[in-house]
Amino acid sequence: MKILVCIKQVFCSENELKIRPDGKWIQETDSTDFRMNRFDEYALEEALLIKETHTDATVDVISVGPERVKEVIKRGLSKGADNGIHICYHQSGYCPPQAVSRMIADYAESQSYNLILTGVMAEDDMQCLVGPMTAGLLSIPCAVSVIKEKIDIKNKIITVHCEMENGKVEEVLISMPAVLTIQTGINRPRYPSLSNILRANSKELTVVDGFFPEEPPDHHELLSIGYPVTSSRISMLEGSAEEKALQLLSIFHKKSLLK
Amino acid sequence: MNRQIIFITETIQNQMTQPVKELIGFGASLIPDHEYQSLLIVPGQDVAELAKQISSETGIHTLAIEHEDFKFPNPHLLGKILPTVIQKSMPSYICMNHNVRNCHLAATLAIRINAACITGVESFEIQNGYPVFTRMMFNGKLAAKTACKTEPIILTVIPGALSDSLIPNRKNGKGTIHVMKTDDLRSGYHPQKVYETIAKDNRLEEADVIVSAGMGIEKEENMELIRKTASIFTNAAIAGSRIVCDHGWLPYGCQVGETGKQVTPKLYVACGISGTIQHTAGMKKSNCIVAINKDPNAPIFSIADYGVVEDLKTFLPILIAKHDEQKN
Ligand SMILES: Cc1cc2nc3c(=O)[nH]c(=O)nc-3n(C[C@H](O)[C@H](O)[C@H](O)COP(=O)(O)OP(=O)(O)OC[C@H]3O[C@@H](n4cnc5c(N)ncnc54)[C@H](O)[C@@H]3O)c2cc1C
Ligand SMILES: Nc1ncnc2c1ncn2[C@@H]1O[C@H](COP(=O)(O)O)[C@@H](O)[C@H]1O
């Protein structure tokens, strides 16, 4: 069984994000921190767990982006993926989901994967689209927000449990090959082992040139990004930590909520 | 020529999962002169009656699409059936409520009919005659404005994007109802059942105060700080973000948000929670929200009543100590 896991490198959004002068993306500097998209950590772990039970399985990790995304591919290898594929897309900034999924689907088609895993959502663009768009391009089924799966290799059927809102779950049978978008909590992502880190560092990546379509198939344009307007009702407490604590206690006291 | 808007609703066992009125209102406001025709698509196993009911309530034309595999949500099959329906009417917009399954449907349609697709739309404005959509990015920290160059435009709209009051009074009276049976179509996606996972536990519903932990607590030991903070109140419970529950630091019954519980306490204290829409969907209706976060730009501050920019590891002990001092 051949498994492909799509992993994205994202900005550490807990840190300060500076907007580029043209207003269209985040300003990158030498000290900008990146990490693997949180949801993709779970997708990769799920692939590695599948490989533990289906010992003939291979796990490839793929990432679309500039040179720096090699770091997350290496991290994927150091957790135990077999091969790393870098689709080089130099244009920095927002890359629309139609373009990303087209690049992933083109590569996937040439390799006939049985299973493609993505995260439910990328923490940066938050679109929840690349997984199902890739499935659409390959004309294979997709299940989103998967929190459990059971693979029946013989009959080429996967039983998936897909999370819905308010604690509801939908159980679905889908045929293979398929794309699953993985939700957090499905497993506990592992840390890389030292031997795998060494192996990952010496491993050659497959590098594919991303394409730059003259007329991008995306139909939309990101005009600008900016800080959202905050609610007018908020009052930010000022002063030292002690003063803020006292202010909070007085608010709680007025509402008669304290012991 | 009149423009077209298609709305798509979702059903589980022939019941709508989200109200459509607000969605229809949103669609209407996309076309400022209101010169448009609309069609509401209702997929389900046996939804002709439901379609009739919505049609008479809203005056909108409806199309019930029936298939045994539509008993539960099935974006895969719907994505196969809809392109022919859509191409017949050449709509300007295709609107649905935002959830992950509708993102799946939106993605499938975008590929099949080669259309623009924007998910998680919070608001829009018309600039130079074209709509510009606002949606969140970077875990909710930044808002992005996106313009579309072609039609149709497929949208998933966050509930609450527009209030019911904006729904225009449509005078066109009764809409027509069509039923399309598609049982002969096969797909590789067969829903089996929908089940509930959250255990019945009313602690969060009954508490006056909820002290909630996000990844800002950094490690499990710091859950103790959350418990101690909760103990200064007379009737408090503790809760957390999804990631805190994923780490096993709290049971899933304590998860607040879109996929967890919806809570409305008198006071919600968000400690080290970034405040993405998936979390705030479960707590933004709380009476009073206090956010403690070391990042002054954390999105949680955009819905809070009181904001404290501090490191919770140092701030919560001070809060607890000051409370103890005052009590004695
Ligand atoms: C389909 C779907 C459904 C989802 N459903 C839910 C849901 O129901 N509930 C939910 O919660 N999430 C849900 N999520 C996940 C959600 O998108 C976020 O990933 C999650 O809520 C983030 O959790 P967090 O705020 O605890 O962590 P983070 O986003 O990591 O934020 C941590 C915050 O803590 C602050 N911080 C860090 N250190 C400190 C410190 N020492 N002192 C003070 N502040 C500090 C940081 O500034 C940051 O703002 C869902 C996601 C998807 C895609
Ligand atoms: N540039 C990329 N490279 C590899 N995988 C990606 C990329 N962008 C998105 N993905 C995958 O698609 C998922 C959903 O992303 P999105 O549709 O952008 O929210 C992510 O969790 C990744 O698994």
Side-chain angles (χ1 to χ4, degrees):
Chain A
M1 183 170 38
K2 290 182 72 178
I3 308 173
L4 180 68
V5 186
C6 304
I7 53 180
K8 186 173 197 182
Q9 189 190 41
V10 296
F11 292 92
C12 291
S13 56
E14 306 77 64
N15 298 354
E16 191 188 357
L17 299 175
K18 275 221 167 66
I19 299 169
R20 228 161 60 179
D22 69 359
K24 285 184 189 280
W25 202 243
I26 305 296
Q27 180 75 55
E28 276 182 44
T29 64
D30 291 342
S31 61
T32 307
D33 289 326
F34 295 94
R35 63 153 184 261
M36 190 187 296
N37 181 35
R38 197 180 254 158
F39 296 87
D40 304 349
E41 298 262 8
Y42 291 84
L44 174 57
E45 180 65 27
E46 202 56 20
L48 297 172
L49 291 174
I50 293 171
K51 186 176 149 163
E52 283 170 11
T53 42
H54 301 265
T55 42
D56 68 323
T58 57
V59 174
D60 293 357
V61 288
I62 191 167
S63 192
V64 181
E67 204 51 31
R68 60 172 161 76
V69 310
K70 287 205 162 78
E71 270 168 55
V72 288
I73 302 174
K74 292 254 165 175
R75 183 165 168 88
L77 292 172
S78 68
K79 286 184 173 218
D82 299 291
N83 304 296
I85 301 111
H86 176 202
I87 301 194
C88 239
Y89 187 83
H90 297 285
Q91 225 161 299
S92 80
Y94 173 69
C95 185
Q98 279 97 330
V100 177
S101 45
R102 162 86 47 200
M103 289 185 249
I104 293 173
D106 276 359
Y107 181 80
E109 193 150 41
S110 71
Q111 301 293 314
S112 347
Y113 290 101
N114 306 90
L115 191 58
I116 300 176
L117 304 185
T118 75
V120 177
M121 174 178 93
E123 291 175 85
D124 54 1
D125 59 34
M126 303 179 87
Q127 305 194 91
C128 307
L129 288 175
V130 167
M133 280 187 170
T134 304
L137 289 166
L138 295 169
S139 297
I140 60 178
C142 174
V144 296
S145 205
V146 171
I147 51 163
K148 192 160 126 191
E149 91 289 308
K150 208 173 113 229
I151 303 174
D152 174 353
I153 289 274
K154 209 172 103 231
N155 297 307
K156 295 203 170 103
I157 286 178
I158 316 176
T159 310
V160 288
H161 295 248
C162 299
E163 191 179 46
M164 306 174 86
E165 297 72 47
N166 308 325
K168 285 201 184 63
V169 177
E170 182 177 20
E171 185 186 316
V172 183
L173 298 181
I174 73 169
S175 60
M176 281 220 273
V179 175
L180 309 184
T181 81
I182 302 295
Q183 178 58 291
T184 63
I186 187 173
N187 53 41
R188 297 271 169 88
R190 70 192 67 188
Y191 289 99
S193 70
L194 187 60
S195 61
N196 273 338
I197 292 175
L198 296 174
R199 190 184 64 100
N201 282 335
S202 60
K203 183 122 189 155
E204 283 287 318
L205 304 184
T206 305
V207 180
V208 181
D209 261 336
F211 55 82
F212 304 90
E214 286 284 297
E215 187 62 44
D218 304 300
H219 314 278
H220 74 259
E221 186 189 347
L222 184 73
L223 299 176
S224 65
I225 54 174
Y227 283 102
V229 270
T230 46
S231 80
S232 48
R233 67 177 191 185
I234 189 160
S235 50
M236 294 303 266
L237 304 187
E238 305 286 344
S240 66
E242 283 75 13
E243 285 162 351
K244 290 179 199 164
L246 289 173
Q247 290 173 58
L248 272 190
L249 288 171
S250 117
I251 294 162
F252 299 158
H253 178 75
K254 279 197 196 113
K255 293 181 182 288
S256 316
L257 296 169
L258 288 174
K259 260 187 193 156
Chain B
M1 202 186 76
N2 261 349
R3 297 169 79 193
Q4 286 270 356
I5 306 182
I6 289 183
F7 301 99
I8 305 170
T9 182
E10 182 187 69
T11 64
I12 296 179
Q13 289 178 299
N14 307 320
Q15 302 280 320
M16 276 198 295
T17 55
Q18 279 163 307
V20 286
K21 274 205 181 136
E22 192 186 311
L23 183 69
I24 294 170
F26 180 88
S29 59
L30 284 168
I31 298 182
D33 60 10
H34 297 323
E35 291 295 318
Y36 70 97
Q37 294 196 333
S38 49
L39 174 68
L40 173 70
I41 295 175
V42 187
Q45 189 179 29
D46 184 8
V47 283
E49 270 309 309
L50 177 66
K52 204 190 248 171
Q53 188 196 328
I54 305 171
S55 181
S56 70
E57 278 170 16
T58 57
I60 206 172
H61 301 305
T62 55
L63 171 65
I65 303 184
E66 298 188 334
H67 190 291
E68 57 178 334
D69 274 349
F70 283 152
K71 186 171 178 188
F72 304 114
N74 192 335
H76 179 74
L77 180 61
L78 198 54
K80 274 196 159 165
I81 295 172
L82 285 185
T84 44
V85 176
I86 292 168
Q87 267 145 1
K88 246 186 260 162
S89 59
M90 291 311 291
S92 301
Y93 297 100
I94 300 166
C95 302
M96 33 199 147
N97 281 312
H98 179 76
N99 65 37
V100 277
R101 294 167 307 286
N102 280 340
C103 291
H104 178 187
L105 176 60
T108 312
L109 290 177
I111 296 297
R112 292 255 157 84
I113 65 172
N114 190 23
C117 174
I118 304 177
T119 55
V121 171
E122 299 216 329
S123 64
F124 77 96
E125 63 205 295
I126 305 282
Q127 279 182 11
N128 309 324
Y130 290 96
V132 172
F133 300 95
T134 300
R135 58 186 303 285
M136 286 300 162
M137 280 199 172
F138 302 97
N139 276 333
K141 225 167 156 172
L142 296 172
K145 287 189 189 300
T146 304
C148 288
K149 299 176 231 163
T150 57
E151 289 189 351
I153 302 169
I154 305 168
L155 304 170
T156 74
V157 183
I158 305 262
L162 269 188
S163 68
D164 284 2
S165 61
L166 284 165
I167 299 174
N169 249 335
R170 309 229 26 225
K171 316 180 271 297
N172 60 347
K174 267 210 167 140
T176 57
I177 302 124
H178 287 278
V179 179
M180 183 172 147
K181 296 224 183 263
T182 53
D183 271 340
D184 48 330
L185 247 167
R186 295 261 67 95
S187 81
Y189 190 104
H190 306 287
Q192 304 297 299
K193 61 177 180 203
V194 167
Y195 61 92
E196 306 264 346
T197 53
I198 300 188
K200 276 264 167 287
D201 171 2
N202 296 331
R203 242 173 308 170
L204 290 186
E205 284 79 351
E206 285 158 9
D208 289 329
V209 180
I210 294 178
V211 181
S212 192
M215 282 314 285
I217 69 162
E218 293 169 17
K219 47 185 190 230
E220 187 168 14
E221 293 93 280
N222 291 334
M223 275 309 297
E224 199 45 37
L225 276 178
I226 302 295
R227 283 191 199 96
K228 281 205 181 121
T229 305
S231 72
I232 70 172
F233 299 101
T234 42
N235 175 21
I238 56 173
S241 72
R242 180 179 184 108
I243 319 276
V244 164
C245 299
D246 286 340
H247 277 75
W249 299 343
L250 275 175
Y252 275 109
C254 294
Q255 181 195 319
V256 167
E258 177 182 316
T259 47
K261 293 211 160 160
Q262 320 259 316
V263 296
T264 49
K266 290 184 184 154
L267 172 67
Y268 189 91
V269 187
C271 307
I273 293 180
S274 61
T276 57
I277 46 167
Q278 292 90 13
H279 184 81
T280 58
M283 46 64 79
K284 66 177 173 212
K285 294 197 182 123
S286 302
N287 222 301
C288 175
I289 298 168
V290 170
I292 303 165
N293 197 304
K294 69 176 180 191
D295 174 6
N297 293 315
I300 191 77
F301 289 126
S302 67
I303 61 149
D305 299 274
Y306 299 99
V308 176
V309 180
E310 288 287 341
D311 184 325
L312 65 88
K313 295 191 302 286
T314 50
F315 183 73
L316 292 181
I318 295 173
L319 182 73
I320 297 161
K322 290 278 170 211
H323 173 258
D324 291 350
E325 259 171 43
Q326 289 185 347
K327 230 176 56 179
N328 297 328

